[in-house]
Amino acid sequence: MRRPIDIDALQRVLCAALGTDAPVCTPARLGVEVGACTAPTERPTLVGGAAPYAPTTPAPTPQALDALIEQARSLGVTQLLVPHVRRTDDPGALRAAGFVPVAADSECVLRLTEDVDVLLRGRVGADRLRELRAHHEAVSQDLTWERIPLSELTAHGWARDAFVALHRRVAERAGHGPTPYNADALDALAHGAPADRAELLVRRRKEVADAEDAVVQVALLVESHTGRGIYHLAGAVGHDDPVARETLEDATLYRLCLDARSSGLEWVHLGSGDSERKRGVGADLFVPLDHWLRAPDLPPAAEEADSALSRFATDPVAAVPVPGPARFRRQPRFDTIDLSSNTNPFLGADAVYPHLDTTELARTYLTTIAKLPGHQGVDVLGPEHVLFSSGSVDGAMLLLAALASPGETVCVTPPTFPLYAHFARVLRLPVVDSPLRGDDLDELDVEGILAADPRVTFLCDPNNPVGTRLDRAQVLDLVARTRGIVVIDEAYAEFSDTPSYAGLVAEHDNLIVLRTLSKAWGLAGARCGIALARPGLVDALRRVQVPFGFTDASQRAARHRLTNSREALDSVRRIRAERDRMAAALAEHPSVERVFPSETNFLLVRLHKHEQVMARFAAAGIVVADTGFVIPATCRVSIGDRRANDTLLAALSASV
């Protein structure tokens, strides 16, 4: 619906709807809101584009804009409108021609990557899926499902009349005037370029199917010119009750997705409008739109400012853009024919590169963790604060490559996760140790770290391998006073009662919080790490990241687990209960000198006879982490299920 031949045909449809030779009407007639501007919505306006019979209008070329402006001059019209332009299109020609953007809704797309029920369970959750299916089953008992090709519209005059009548009713209900969804427009559409791909969707009451007022819902369905998806446009529902309308809309979109999937289609375009409503039926791609207005009383459009790259980005990173296709991650390609990637077109979905736009997954992640205890402030973060990586260790490597130059120091606080220092040395960065203090190894040597003046300081909090949390006042003092970057690895934060630092990244341009879905969320095999930081830092990390490292399979697994979080959160409670039971049991055991406090899913245990106990575990087929080379006479014991934990206790007793 973005090809010139389609746009020209839809312009003729709009003229037929208006009963004019040129598409001149008020923005209000098209349902376009430009109230934020000084230009009135009732002023006669020349419309460039195909609204309202197309989902979006391609950004016009300079030549097309010159022709539009000349047409307006010849018609004596001073106001011009190019509606529903994707924000991802290049607006340079529009700005240069004196057009001003007015924010509109987003167009909403559901990508059909797998069985519809499996897909929706991952996107909206099991409870919402049951609700959608119940709506579908209830509605299907009472209403028909009819898809009438527009080429056969002449033989179905009742359907055309119902389409017009329902749109008139919707306009009256909203207090609007005449709508452009009239019989003349439908007739013109039936004879235009998209006609062979267009259908009228009609739902009517079964028991009174022949009655004139039996139709309760209508919409236009237009298959994309690529044959890979379908647009759902110009929908109208006759119910006056909002709940009944939503129920019917949900049921119809669910059925439409089932039909599209069974027909081998790859996506369903759900129109534009309330993004939250469309998320509730599974939409996972949202493309923001702008209306572009040109009028004599409008100030010129301000240039959009790019988000500033972090001051911590190294000179080489600052000198290069985000690599290759990742630069275009926000540009939707669902309704285009992509011949840019040199992939095999005959071997299905796995032959296509992963989605690069993870905006919706980032939103899902933030929404989910914002509900967890101790995550205050996360609700102010947006997708621009999030970078997904192939595990959080990949995030650590990325940030060292992007933010530290050769010769700049990296500080680690042993005992800690060993890969921080490993990656630093691989990148030829000097490593300074600042050992943790205190009986529980939970105190920082803040003054010692500041004296080392590190470019990057890694804090593992909760600590691995100890399991304790660092002194919060000391951490915040370090963030405030250091000249470098503080990275807080919160791989085990979901097991802790102590507040997360995630909500603070918007306040500090030198704070990065690393998270993972490998531990509490049980997705170690999906390799999904998360870096939370200011957008300028995220931009720097993206410039050194391999573009397609976060696979579609990993994205699906992450979305499904986050959306259906109850099982994972229940398992966290079970792990914490088992952790406390095991801590108490081990503390009473004669082979154990001490069990360190833990806010993780493991316990650090100091043994009286370390080598003998480790040998006994090995003989019993039990593998624990031998941490004796870091903290003398200790091992780190992960919390397993009750049977595994009891087996370890039995093996420990056998060693006495």
Side-chain angles (χ1 to χ4, degrees):
M1 298 288 280
R2 289 166 61 82
R3 299 181 306 168
I5 186 174
D6 290 331
I7 299 300
D8 291 345
L10 292 171
Q11 277 265 295
R12 291 190 289 272
V13 171
L14 179 56
C15 290
L18 300 172
T20 60
D21 294 330
V24 176
C25 66
T26 65
R29 177 81 186 272
L30 299 179
V32 172
E33 297 288 341
V34 292
C37 297
T38 57
T41 58
E42 298 298 333
R43 178 183 292 169
T45 303
L46 177 63
V47 180
Y53 285 89
T56 59
T57 299
T61 63
Q63 295 78 12
L65 283 175
D66 289 343
L68 186 66
I69 293 169
E70 181 56 36
Q71 183 184 17
R73 187 179 296 114
S74 66
L75 293 170
V77 176
T78 60
Q79 186 163 290
L80 297 87
L81 173 70
V82 180
H84 296 112
V85 177
R86 291 177 181 172
R87 202 166 291 168
T88 52
D89 286 358
D90 182 1
L94 285 160
R95 290 183 184 277
F99 284 77
V100 172
V102 180
D105 293 321
S106 294
E107 57 177 330
C108 313
V109 180
L110 190 159
R111 292 177 287 196
L112 300 171
T113 54
E114 55 192 323
D115 174 81
V116 170
D117 282 1
V118 173
L119 182 149
L120 290 178
R121 190 178 293 111
R123 291 189 186 164
V124 302
D127 293 342
R128 175 61 173 158
L129 172 59
R130 281 192 290 270
E131 185 177 49
L132 289 172
R133 294 181 65 174
H135 290 338
H136 166 59
E137 291 168 5
V139 166
S140 296
Q141 291 178 4
D142 299 327
L143 301 180
T144 63
W145 174 266
E146 302 169 74
R147 295 174 61 165
I148 303 169
L150 241 60
S151 59
E152 301 175 12
L153 193 60
T154 303
H156 297 82
W158 62 269
R160 179 181 59 181
D161 294 342
F163 181 88
V164 174
L166 273 190
H167 277 92
R168 184 186 304 118
R169 181 174 177 180
V170 169
E172 291 170 351
R173 186 167 60 217
H176 296 159
T179 79
Y181 301 106
N182 54 36
D184 290 338
L186 270 184
D187 289 342
L189 185 59
H191 294 88
D196 60 341
R197 311 193 311 269
E199 298 174 297
L200 206 58
L201 171 61
V202 178
R203 307 206 76 169
R204 50 179 172 168
R205 298 185 182 92
K206 291 179 179 179
E207 70 275 13
V208 288
D210 294 330
E212 186 175 334
D213 61 349
V215 177
V216 296
Q217 185 180 24
V218 294
L220 277 174
L221 303 179
V222 183
E223 187 177 283
S224 72
H225 73 280
T226 66
R228 294 181 176 177
I230 194 165
Y231 301 96
H232 175 267
L233 306 170
V237 177
H239 292 306
D240 292 326
D241 176 38
V243 175
R245 283 202 303 273
E246 287 192 6
T247 298
L248 180 53
E249 289 168 356
D250 288 350
T252 295
L253 292 177
Y254 176 76
R255 170 66 185 273
L256 183 60
C257 291
L258 291 176
D259 279 13
R261 179 66 179 175
S262 65
S263 300
L265 299 182
E266 298 173 5
W267 52 266
V268 176
H269 190 291
L270 304 179
S272 60
D274 186 342
S275 295
E276 286 303 317
R277 281 274 300 125
K278 302 299 172 60
R279 283 189 179 96
V281 291
D284 70 324
L285 178 62
F286 298 87
V287 186
L289 307 175
D290 290 311
H291 306 308
W292 286 83
L293 197 66
R294 186 177 191 265
D297 45 3
L298 288 181
E303 290 290 337
E304 289 187 0
D306 293 331
S307 60
L309 184 67
S310 169
R311 62 189 173 97
F312 293 104
T314 65
D315 290 342
V317 169
V320 298
V322 173
R327 289 201 302 275
F328 311 108
R329 65 191 180 280
R330 298 285 178 85
Q331 295 185 12
R333 295 189 177 184
F334 65 93
D335 58 355
T336 58
I337 296 174
D338 186 0
L339 299 178
S340 67
S341 300
N342 304 335
T343 55
N344 191 324
F346 301 110
L347 295 179
D350 288 338
V352 180
Y353 280 116
H355 292 304
L356 286 170
D357 186 357
T358 55
T359 300
E360 277 304 297
L361 183 57
R363 177 192 170 279
T364 299
Y365 178 73
L366 293 172
T367 300
T368 302
I369 68 168
K371 299 174 184 176
L372 301 180
H375 285 70
Q376 292 78 15
V378 172
D379 55 343
V380 306
L381 305 182
E384 66 276 9
H385 292 90
V386 180
L387 180 79
F388 290 102
S389 60
S390 181
S392 60
V393 291
D394 182 45
M397 184 70 161
L398 290 176
L399 68 90
L400 286 174
L403 307 175
S405 298
E408 292 182 318
T409 301
V410 174
C411 180
V412 296
T413 58
T416 190
F417 187 55
L419 285 186
Y420 308 145
H422 172 82
F423 286 146
R425 292 188 175 103
V426 166
L427 294 172
R428 301 174 183 173
L429 301 171
V431 177
V432 172
D433 289 348
S434 178
L436 296 176
R437 298 174 168 182
D439 291 341
D440 294 335
L441 299 174
D442 59 355
E443 297 176 12
L444 293 172
D445 179 6
V446 175
E447 299 305 324
I449 295 173
L450 293 174
D453 194 23
R455 178 68 166 186
V456 179
T457 301
F458 280 100
L459 304 179
C460 190
D461 190 29
N463 181 275
N464 176 14
V466 184
T468 51
R469 295 300 301 260
L470 295 172
D471 182 286
R472 190 174 181 86
Q474 290 183 323
V475 171
L476 295 177
D477 183 36
L478 177 63
V479 173
R481 295 170 61 196
T482 183
R483 296 197 306 165
I485 301 157
V486 177
V487 182
I488 304 179
D489 185 348
E490 291 191 339
Y492 301 93
E494 291 88 349
F495 299 104
S496 173
D497 289 323
T498 304
S500 165
Y501 294 95
L504 300 180
V505 299
E507 301 176 18
H508 301 279
D509 72 346
N510 67 332
L511 175 62
I512 301 174
V513 173
L514 298 179
R515 304 286 291 248
T516 181
L517 298 188
S518 294
K519 309 301 182 181
W521 298 97
L523 290 178
R527 308 309 303 136
C528 180
I530 301 101
L532 302 175
R534 285 265 192 96
L537 280 169
V538 170
D539 186 12
L541 302 188
R542 206 182 297 279
R543 295 183 188 207
V544 299
Q545 185 177 39
V546 175
F548 296 113
F550 189 30
T551 69
D552 280 345
S554 295
Q555 293 179 43
R556 286 195 296 272
R559 186 183 296 110
H560 185 280
R561 185 57 51 83
L562 293 167
T563 304
N564 298 274
S565 60
R566 185 183 306 166
E567 181 181 7
L569 297 180
D570 285 346
S571 72
V572 168
R573 286 187 283 270
R574 293 173 63 188
I575 288 171
R576 293 177 65 169
E578 273 295 288
R579 179 190 68 195
D580 295 343
R581 181 181 78 88
M582 286 293 290
L586 289 168
E588 295 293 325
H589 202 281
S591 295
V592 174
E593 178 182 336
R594 185 186 180 199
V595 178
F596 284 75
S598 176
E599 294 193 48
T600 64
N601 63 340
F602 59 81
L603 296 168
L604 185 70
V605 182
R606 178 173 287 139
L607 302 167
H608 285 302
K609 297 180 179 180
H610 176 258
E611 290 184 5
Q612 292 91 327
V613 172
M614 295 301 294
R616 179 66 65 175
F617 284 157
I622 299 171
V623 180
V624 298
D626 187 348
T627 51
F629 67 97
V630 178
I631 306 170
T634 63
C635 66
R636 190 193 66 197
V637 180
S638 297
I639 302 302
D641 59 26
R642 192 175 187 91
R643 180 174 181 176
N645 297 335
D646 287 344
T647 301
L648 180 137
L649 291 174
L652 186 63
S653 295
S655 69
V656 176

